[in-house]
Amino acid sequence: MKTSTMETKFTEQQSLQVIQEMIENTKAKFRDNGFFYLLWGWLVLIASLSQFTLMNIGFEYAWLPWPVMMMGGGIASGIAGYRLGKESKVKTFFDTAILSLWLAFTITLFIILIAAGAGRISWNMANVLIIALYGLATYISGSMMKFKPLIFGGIFSWMVAVVGLFLPPVYSLPLVSVSIIVAYLIPGYMLKSRAKTNGYV
Amino acid sequence: MFKDLDPLLHNQLRLSIMSLLMNVESAEFNFLLEQTKATKGNISVQISKLKDSGYIEVKKTFRKNYPLTTCSITQEGIQAFENYVQAIAGYLNPDK
């Protein structure tokens, strides 16, 4: 097809073909390489396990790993997110939805943290609610990407949260560790290997 | 019987641009360039035509001192695209 004759010789069949091709090109290709799941998965796992260990050896400031890890994670995510946003030449509805989801997640997370910090709910209850909350975010992300390991991770987190409601408070940290492995780390590594096979990083 | 095809959309490059923009919230000039494999000059002309007709919105900003053009489809553009697709369907299945 020559460009010069296109105005006149452009048939209906060709126009359908053009539409099809372009739709194919913009199909919500999810190119998640699992970076954020791995980053937060490891940070939460390390923080929860180290708090659990420090509590058991009777260290007064056993909660200290959390602010350190979370601030580090926040900064790293901020930088990575900024870079990603700058690199992408196109903004899909999918991108906007995912971004709003995790923003809403963060705001709700802060409300739970404030509630626990102000002594309105126990920290163990806060842990259980946070497990349920990241279950929600993981489940929605997984559904949007049609990625089953994340969907399963979300459902698993909800189940863990329900169990956590009825277990003695001492179990809430190990429960966080277990659910973060299933909801973040395993899907994160699966996304990473998938990204490698599909040739994007 | 046969509806007239919107001459603005019945053109390979303009239709490509509109189809791309139908599926995204916004796209940079370079994205449209890569996907359509058209030349810069040609695509600029077609973008202007679509913009002048109110089918797309063009935002010009700067990134690191380089001009950055971002395009997005308007409500009018979406309507025109849908009408065009219906008209095409009419041509391909005249019995219906």
Side-chain angles (χ1 to χ4, degrees):
Chain A
M1 227 192 306
K2 292 255 169 62
T3 328
S4 52
T5 55
M6 223 140 46
E7 295 268 357
T8 47
K9 291 254 177 83
F10 189 48
T11 67
E12 290 73 39
Q13 276 83 359
Q14 284 170 331
S15 92
L16 262 194
Q17 204 185 330
V18 164
I19 296 172
Q20 261 169 5
E21 253 173 53
M22 295 300 136
I23 288 176
E24 192 60 36
N25 290 356
T26 45
K27 249 189 203 166
K29 283 177 196 148
F30 89 82
R31 310 198 134 218
D32 199 314
N33 62 9
F35 171 79
F36 290 101
Y37 290 100
L38 292 176
L39 173 73
W40 286 101
W42 278 111
L43 287 174
V44 170
L45 184 64
I46 293 167
S48 59
L49 287 180
S50 49
Q51 187 190 0
F52 189 67
T53 315
L54 290 173
M55 263 167 57
N56 284 335
I57 59 169
F59 182 61
E60 199 181 342
Y61 304 107
W63 46 267
L64 208 59
W66 286 103
V68 175
M69 293 290 174
M70 297 305 106
M71 260 200 284
I75 294 169
S77 296
I79 295 172
Y82 177 73
R83 279 196 188 155
L84 267 179
K86 248 184 25 179
E87 275 168 20
S88 67
K89 290 180 189 138
V90 62
K91 193 171 157 201
T92 62
F93 297 106
F94 178 86
D95 299 333
T96 313
I98 285 278
L99 203 67
S100 317
L101 170 67
W102 288 103
L103 185 68
F105 166 89
T106 311
I107 292 167
T108 314
L109 177 67
F110 271 104
I111 294 174
I112 297 174
L113 291 177
I114 292 168
R120 310 299 291 183
I121 54 170
S122 72
W123 278 104
N124 295 305
M125 191 47 63
N127 284 339
V128 171
L129 291 177
I130 290 168
I131 295 174
L133 178 65
Y134 62 67
L136 175 141
T138 312
Y139 178 82
I140 296 179
S141 302
S143 304
M144 285 174 60
M145 295 180 191
K146 297 190 179 74
F147 189 59
K148 287 209 178 93
L150 276 177
I151 297 177
F152 177 75
I155 295 170
F156 184 81
S157 298
W158 285 332
M159 295 193 302
V160 168
V162 173
V163 171
L165 287 174
F166 299 103
L167 282 185
V170 67
Y171 289 109
S172 80
L173 283 169
L175 285 179
V176 169
S177 311
V178 172
S179 69
I180 209 73
I181 291 173
V182 176
Y184 277 41
L185 286 174
I186 295 173
Y189 279 109
M190 289 172 84
L191 283 172
K192 194 180 173 183
S193 74
R194 190 167 153 155
K196 255 188 198 156
T197 10
N198 292 349
Y200 51 83
V201 186
Chain B
M1 265 287 283
F2 283 162
K3 290 181 192 168
D4 279 335
L5 290 173
D6 185 341
L8 262 162
L9 294 180
H10 198 60
N11 160 285
Q12 182 165 13
L13 187 49
R14 285 196 296 270
L15 186 62
S16 301
I17 296 169
M18 290 289 283
S19 307
L20 289 169
L21 293 179
M22 275 295 283
N23 280 325
V24 300
E25 208 170 314
S26 63
E28 287 178 17
F29 182 82
N30 282 336
F31 176 80
L32 298 175
L33 202 62
E34 279 167 19
Q35 299 298 329
T36 57
K37 297 182 180 73
T39 61
K40 273 189 184 177
N42 196 3
I43 205 167
S44 295
V45 171
Q46 307 311 338
I47 285 177
S48 302
K49 278 190 187 168
L50 289 170
K51 185 192 160 201
D52 293 341
S53 63
Y55 287 1
I56 66 170
E57 205 175 58
V58 179
K59 268 190 203 150
K60 288 187 190 282
T61 49
F62 284 91
R63 181 190 285 163
K64 285 187 178 170
N65 292 326
Y66 287 98
L68 175 70
T69 307
T70 320
C71 305
S72 56
I73 199 161
T74 61
Q75 268 307 313
E76 209 182 327
I78 293 173
Q79 191 57 54
F81 186 84
E82 281 168 357
N83 290 344
Y84 178 81
V85 170
Q86 264 181 8
I88 288 283
Y91 270 96
L92 296 175
N93 308 303
D95 300 338
K96 281 186 186 171

